[in-house]
Short mmCIF file of all heavy atoms in Angstrom, two decimals:
data_model
loop_
_atom_site.label_atom_id
_atom_site.label_comp_id
_atom_site.label_asym_id
_atom_site.label_seq_id
_atom_site.Cartn_x
_atom_site.Cartn_y
_atom_site.Cartn_z
N GLY A 1 -6.78 -10.39 0.36
CA GLY A 1 -7.56 -11.60 0.18
C GLY A 1 -8.03 -11.76 -1.24
O GLY A 1 -7.57 -11.06 -2.15
N LEU A 2 -8.96 -12.67 -1.41
CA LEU A 2 -9.54 -12.98 -2.71
C LEU A 2 -10.93 -12.37 -2.79
O LEU A 2 -11.77 -12.61 -1.91
CB LEU A 2 -9.62 -14.50 -2.90
CG LEU A 2 -10.36 -15.00 -4.14
CD1 LEU A 2 -9.62 -14.56 -5.41
CD2 LEU A 2 -10.49 -16.51 -4.09
N VAL A 3 -11.17 -11.59 -3.83
CA VAL A 3 -12.47 -10.96 -4.04
C VAL A 3 -12.87 -11.08 -5.49
O VAL A 3 -12.03 -11.28 -6.38
CB VAL A 3 -12.47 -9.48 -3.62
CG1 VAL A 3 -12.19 -9.33 -2.14
CG2 VAL A 3 -11.46 -8.69 -4.44
N GLN A 4 -14.16 -10.96 -5.74
CA GLN A 4 -14.67 -10.96 -7.10
C GLN A 4 -14.55 -9.57 -7.71
O GLN A 4 -14.50 -8.57 -6.99
CB GLN A 4 -16.13 -11.41 -7.11
CG GLN A 4 -16.34 -12.84 -6.69
CD GLN A 4 -17.80 -13.26 -6.74
OE1 GLN A 4 -18.69 -12.42 -6.82
NE2 GLN A 4 -18.05 -14.55 -6.69
N PRO A 5 -14.48 -9.48 -9.03
CA PRO A 5 -14.50 -8.17 -9.66
C PRO A 5 -15.69 -7.34 -9.19
O PRO A 5 -16.80 -7.86 -9.07
CB PRO A 5 -14.59 -8.49 -11.15
CG PRO A 5 -13.97 -9.84 -11.27
CD PRO A 5 -14.36 -10.57 -10.00
N GLY A 6 -15.43 -6.08 -8.92
CA GLY A 6 -16.45 -5.20 -8.39
C GLY A 6 -16.52 -5.17 -6.88
O GLY A 6 -17.22 -4.31 -6.32
N GLY A 7 -15.82 -6.05 -6.23
CA GLY A 7 -15.82 -6.12 -4.79
C GLY A 7 -14.91 -5.10 -4.15
O GLY A 7 -14.28 -4.29 -4.83
N SER A 8 -14.84 -5.15 -2.83
CA SER A 8 -14.07 -4.19 -2.06
C SER A 8 -13.19 -4.88 -1.04
O SER A 8 -13.51 -5.97 -0.54
CB SER A 8 -14.99 -3.21 -1.32
OG SER A 8 -15.76 -2.44 -2.22
N LEU A 9 -12.08 -4.25 -0.73
CA LEU A 9 -11.20 -4.66 0.35
C LEU A 9 -10.67 -3.41 1.03
O LEU A 9 -10.54 -2.36 0.40
CB LEU A 9 -10.01 -5.48 -0.15
CG LEU A 9 -10.23 -6.93 -0.55
CD1 LEU A 9 -8.95 -7.49 -1.15
CD2 LEU A 9 -10.67 -7.76 0.65
N ARG A 10 -10.36 -3.54 2.30
CA ARG A 10 -9.73 -2.47 3.05
C ARG A 10 -8.42 -2.98 3.62
O ARG A 10 -8.42 -3.86 4.48
CB ARG A 10 -10.63 -1.98 4.18
CG ARG A 10 -10.11 -0.72 4.89
CD ARG A 10 -10.90 -0.45 6.14
NE ARG A 10 -10.62 0.84 6.74
CZ ARG A 10 -10.58 1.06 8.05
NH1 ARG A 10 -10.82 0.07 8.90
NH2 ARG A 10 -10.32 2.28 8.51
N LEU A 11 -7.32 -2.43 3.14
CA LEU A 11 -6.01 -2.79 3.63
C LEU A 11 -5.61 -1.87 4.78
O LEU A 11 -5.93 -0.69 4.78
CB LEU A 11 -4.97 -2.68 2.52
CG LEU A 11 -5.24 -3.45 1.23
CD1 LEU A 11 -4.06 -3.31 0.28
CD2 LEU A 11 -5.54 -4.92 1.52
N SER A 12 -4.90 -2.44 5.74
CA SER A 12 -4.38 -1.68 6.86
C SER A 12 -2.88 -1.88 6.95
O SER A 12 -2.36 -2.95 6.62
CB SER A 12 -5.04 -2.12 8.17
OG SER A 12 -6.42 -1.90 8.16
N CYS A 13 -2.19 -0.86 7.41
CA CYS A 13 -0.75 -0.93 7.65
C CYS A 13 -0.48 -0.32 9.01
O CYS A 13 -0.66 0.89 9.20
CB CYS A 13 0.01 -0.19 6.55
SG CYS A 13 1.78 -0.01 6.88
N ALA A 14 -0.05 -1.15 9.92
CA ALA A 14 0.28 -0.71 11.27
C ALA A 14 1.78 -0.47 11.36
O ALA A 14 2.58 -1.37 11.07
CB ALA A 14 -0.16 -1.74 12.30
N ALA A 15 2.16 0.72 11.77
CA ALA A 15 3.56 1.11 11.83
C ALA A 15 4.04 1.19 13.26
O ALA A 15 3.30 1.59 14.17
CB ALA A 15 3.78 2.46 11.15
N SER A 16 5.29 0.82 13.46
CA SER A 16 5.93 0.96 14.76
C SER A 16 7.40 1.29 14.55
O SER A 16 7.97 1.00 13.50
CB SER A 16 5.78 -0.31 15.60
OG SER A 16 6.41 -1.42 14.96
N GLY A 17 8.00 1.92 15.54
CA GLY A 17 9.41 2.24 15.48
C GLY A 17 9.76 3.51 14.74
O GLY A 17 10.94 3.80 14.54
N ILE A 18 8.75 4.26 14.31
CA ILE A 18 8.97 5.53 13.64
C ILE A 18 8.01 6.57 14.19
O ILE A 18 7.00 6.22 14.82
CB ILE A 18 8.80 5.44 12.11
CG1 ILE A 18 7.38 4.97 11.76
CG2 ILE A 18 9.85 4.52 11.50
CD1 ILE A 18 7.07 5.03 10.28
N PHE A 19 8.34 7.84 13.96
CA PHE A 19 7.41 8.91 14.30
C PHE A 19 6.40 9.00 13.17
O PHE A 19 6.51 9.82 12.25
CB PHE A 19 8.16 10.22 14.49
CG PHE A 19 9.08 10.22 15.68
CD1 PHE A 19 10.45 10.17 15.52
CD2 PHE A 19 8.56 10.29 16.97
CE1 PHE A 19 11.30 10.17 16.62
CE2 PHE A 19 9.39 10.29 18.07
CZ PHE A 19 10.77 10.24 17.90
N PHE A 20 5.42 8.15 13.25
CA PHE A 20 4.49 7.92 12.15
C PHE A 20 3.84 9.20 11.65
O PHE A 20 3.70 9.40 10.44
CB PHE A 20 3.43 6.92 12.61
CG PHE A 20 2.35 6.67 11.60
CD1 PHE A 20 2.53 5.73 10.60
CD2 PHE A 20 1.16 7.37 11.66
CE1 PHE A 20 1.53 5.48 9.68
CE2 PHE A 20 0.15 7.12 10.74
CZ PHE A 20 0.34 6.18 9.75
N SER A 21 3.43 10.05 12.56
CA SER A 21 2.58 11.18 12.20
C SER A 21 3.25 12.20 11.28
O SER A 21 2.54 12.98 10.64
CB SER A 21 2.07 11.88 13.46
OG SER A 21 3.15 12.45 14.19
N ILE A 22 4.56 12.21 11.19
CA ILE A 22 5.25 13.26 10.43
C ILE A 22 5.66 12.83 9.03
O ILE A 22 6.15 13.65 8.26
CB ILE A 22 6.48 13.78 11.19
CG1 ILE A 22 7.59 12.73 11.24
CG2 ILE A 22 6.10 14.22 12.60
CD1 ILE A 22 8.88 13.24 11.85
N TYR A 23 5.46 11.59 8.69
CA TYR A 23 5.97 11.07 7.42
C TYR A 23 4.87 10.81 6.41
O TYR A 23 3.77 10.41 6.75
CB TYR A 23 6.75 9.78 7.64
CG TYR A 23 7.97 9.96 8.51
CD1 TYR A 23 8.07 9.29 9.73
CD2 TYR A 23 9.00 10.80 8.13
CE1 TYR A 23 9.18 9.46 10.54
CE2 TYR A 23 10.11 10.97 8.93
CZ TYR A 23 10.20 10.30 10.13
OH TYR A 23 11.30 10.47 10.93
N THR A 24 5.23 11.05 5.16
CA THR A 24 4.38 10.61 4.07
C THR A 24 4.33 9.09 4.04
O THR A 24 5.36 8.42 4.15
CB THR A 24 4.89 11.15 2.73
OG1 THR A 24 4.76 12.57 2.72
CG2 THR A 24 4.10 10.56 1.57
N MET A 25 3.14 8.56 3.91
CA MET A 25 2.93 7.13 3.81
C MET A 25 2.37 6.80 2.44
O MET A 25 1.72 7.64 1.80
CB MET A 25 1.98 6.63 4.90
CG MET A 25 2.43 6.93 6.31
SD MET A 25 3.92 6.00 6.78
CE MET A 25 3.28 4.32 6.76
N GLY A 26 2.60 5.59 2.01
CA GLY A 26 2.12 5.21 0.70
C GLY A 26 1.79 3.74 0.59
O GLY A 26 2.18 2.93 1.43
N TRP A 27 1.04 3.44 -0.45
CA TRP A 27 0.78 2.08 -0.85
C TRP A 27 1.33 1.86 -2.25
O TRP A 27 1.11 2.69 -3.14
CB TRP A 27 -0.71 1.75 -0.83
CG TRP A 27 -1.30 1.61 0.54
CD1 TRP A 27 -1.95 2.56 1.26
CD2 TRP A 27 -1.28 0.43 1.35
NE1 TRP A 27 -2.34 2.06 2.47
CE2 TRP A 27 -1.95 0.76 2.55
CE3 TRP A 27 -0.78 -0.85 1.17
CZ2 TRP A 27 -2.12 -0.17 3.58
CZ3 TRP A 27 -0.95 -1.77 2.20
CH2 TRP A 27 -1.61 -1.43 3.38
N TYR A 28 2.04 0.78 -2.42
CA TYR A 28 2.56 0.35 -3.71
C TYR A 28 2.07 -1.06 -3.97
O TYR A 28 1.64 -1.76 -3.05
CB TYR A 28 4.08 0.39 -3.73
CG TYR A 28 4.68 1.78 -3.68
CD1 TYR A 28 4.60 2.56 -2.53
CD2 TYR A 28 5.33 2.32 -4.80
CE1 TYR A 28 5.14 3.83 -2.49
CE2 TYR A 28 5.88 3.59 -4.76
CZ TYR A 28 5.79 4.33 -3.60
OH TYR A 28 6.34 5.59 -3.56
N ARG A 29 2.16 -1.47 -5.20
CA ARG A 29 1.78 -2.84 -5.52
C ARG A 29 2.71 -3.41 -6.57
O ARG A 29 3.31 -2.68 -7.36
CB ARG A 29 0.32 -2.92 -5.99
CG ARG A 29 0.04 -2.23 -7.32
CD ARG A 29 -1.45 -2.23 -7.59
NE ARG A 29 -1.78 -1.61 -8.87
CZ ARG A 29 -3.02 -1.38 -9.28
NH1 ARG A 29 -4.06 -1.71 -8.53
NH2 ARG A 29 -3.22 -0.81 -10.47
N GLN A 30 2.81 -4.72 -6.57
CA GLN A 30 3.66 -5.41 -7.52
C GLN A 30 2.97 -6.69 -7.97
O GLN A 30 2.70 -7.58 -7.17
CB GLN A 30 5.02 -5.74 -6.90
CG GLN A 30 6.02 -6.31 -7.89
CD GLN A 30 7.42 -6.34 -7.32
OE1 GLN A 30 7.62 -6.27 -6.12
NE2 GLN A 30 8.40 -6.44 -8.20
N ALA A 31 2.68 -6.74 -9.24
CA ALA A 31 2.11 -7.93 -9.84
C ALA A 31 3.23 -8.87 -10.25
O ALA A 31 4.39 -8.45 -10.42
CB ALA A 31 1.25 -7.55 -11.05
N PRO A 32 2.93 -10.16 -10.43
CA PRO A 32 3.96 -11.11 -10.83
C PRO A 32 4.67 -10.67 -12.10
O PRO A 32 4.04 -10.25 -13.07
CB PRO A 32 3.19 -12.41 -11.04
CG PRO A 32 2.00 -12.28 -10.15
CD PRO A 32 1.63 -10.82 -10.19
N GLU A 33 5.97 -10.73 -12.08
CA GLU A 33 6.82 -10.39 -13.22
C GLU A 33 6.75 -8.92 -13.61
O GLU A 33 7.21 -8.54 -14.69
CB GLU A 33 6.48 -11.26 -14.44
CG GLU A 33 6.44 -12.76 -14.15
CD GLU A 33 7.78 -13.29 -13.68
OE1 GLU A 33 8.82 -12.75 -14.11
OE2 GLU A 33 7.79 -14.24 -12.88
N LYS A 34 6.19 -8.10 -12.74
CA LYS A 34 6.10 -6.67 -13.01
C LYS A 34 6.87 -5.88 -11.96
O LYS A 34 7.15 -6.37 -10.87
CB LYS A 34 4.64 -6.21 -13.03
CG LYS A 34 3.77 -6.93 -14.04
CD LYS A 34 4.20 -6.62 -15.46
CE LYS A 34 3.26 -7.26 -16.46
NZ LYS A 34 3.67 -6.98 -17.86
N GLN A 35 7.19 -4.64 -12.30
CA GLN A 35 7.85 -3.76 -11.36
C GLN A 35 6.85 -3.21 -10.34
O GLN A 35 5.66 -3.10 -10.62
CB GLN A 35 8.54 -2.61 -12.08
CG GLN A 35 9.74 -3.01 -12.91
CD GLN A 35 10.48 -1.81 -13.46
OE1 GLN A 35 9.91 -0.74 -13.63
NE2 GLN A 35 11.76 -2.00 -13.75
N ARG A 36 7.36 -2.87 -9.18
CA ARG A 36 6.53 -2.25 -8.17
C ARG A 36 6.08 -0.87 -8.64
O ARG A 36 6.87 -0.11 -9.21
CB ARG A 36 7.30 -2.14 -6.86
CG ARG A 36 6.46 -1.75 -5.67
CD ARG A 36 7.29 -1.81 -4.39
NE ARG A 36 7.84 -3.14 -4.17
CZ ARG A 36 8.60 -3.47 -3.12
NH1 ARG A 36 8.90 -2.57 -2.20
NH2 ARG A 36 9.05 -4.70 -3.01
N GLU A 37 4.82 -0.55 -8.42
CA GLU A 37 4.28 0.71 -8.87
C GLU A 37 3.54 1.42 -7.74
O GLU A 37 2.99 0.78 -6.84
CB GLU A 37 3.34 0.52 -10.06
CG GLU A 37 2.08 -0.28 -9.74
CD GLU A 37 1.12 -0.35 -10.91
OE1 GLU A 37 1.31 0.39 -11.90
OE2 GLU A 37 0.16 -1.13 -10.84
N LEU A 38 3.53 2.73 -7.83
CA LEU A 38 2.83 3.55 -6.86
C LEU A 38 1.32 3.38 -7.01
O LEU A 38 0.80 3.40 -8.13
CB LEU A 38 3.20 5.01 -7.04
CG LEU A 38 2.41 6.03 -6.21
CD1 LEU A 38 2.79 5.92 -4.74
CD2 LEU A 38 2.65 7.44 -6.72
N VAL A 39 0.64 3.24 -5.90
CA VAL A 39 -0.81 3.22 -5.87
C VAL A 39 -1.35 4.54 -5.33
O VAL A 39 -2.17 5.20 -5.97
CB VAL A 39 -1.35 2.05 -5.04
CG1 VAL A 39 -2.87 2.10 -4.94
CG2 VAL A 39 -0.89 0.72 -5.64
N ALA A 40 -0.88 4.93 -4.15
CA ALA A 40 -1.37 6.14 -3.51
C ALA A 40 -0.41 6.58 -2.44
O ALA A 40 0.30 5.76 -1.85
CB ALA A 40 -2.77 5.92 -2.90
N THR A 41 -0.38 7.88 -2.16
CA THR A 41 0.40 8.42 -1.06
C THR A 41 -0.45 9.39 -0.27
O THR A 41 -1.42 9.96 -0.78
CB THR A 41 1.67 9.15 -1.53
OG1 THR A 41 1.32 10.26 -2.37
CG2 THR A 41 2.59 8.21 -2.29
N ILE A 42 -0.06 9.59 0.98
CA ILE A 42 -0.74 10.54 1.83
C ILE A 42 0.30 11.22 2.71
O ILE A 42 1.13 10.56 3.34
CB ILE A 42 -1.86 9.87 2.67
CG1 ILE A 42 -2.59 10.91 3.52
CG2 ILE A 42 -1.30 8.74 3.52
CD1 ILE A 42 -3.89 10.38 4.11
#
């Protein structure tokens, strides 16, 4: 969503069709005209 600087958001990712518990999961992001970059993995 849209937030002001200094604000907070909580993103969720619901997975299906995989054995979720055994895999590394991650968040990536891509800004306009930029390459996708790693944010975090778990």
Side-chain angles (χ1 to χ4, degrees):
L2 173 64
V3 297
Q4 295 181 345
S8 297
L9 284 174
R10 188 191 190 216
L11 306 184
S12 298
C13 172
S16 62
I18 60 172
F19 294 107
F20 176 85
S21 64
I22 69 174
Y23 298 118
T24 294
M25 302 292 294
W27 287 96
Y28 291 70
R29 66 187 181 187
Q30 187 168 19
E33 309 298 329
K34 302 294 184 181
Q35 291 187 335
R36 191 174 301 180
E37 65 175 349
L38 173 71
V39 176
T41 61
I42 182 167

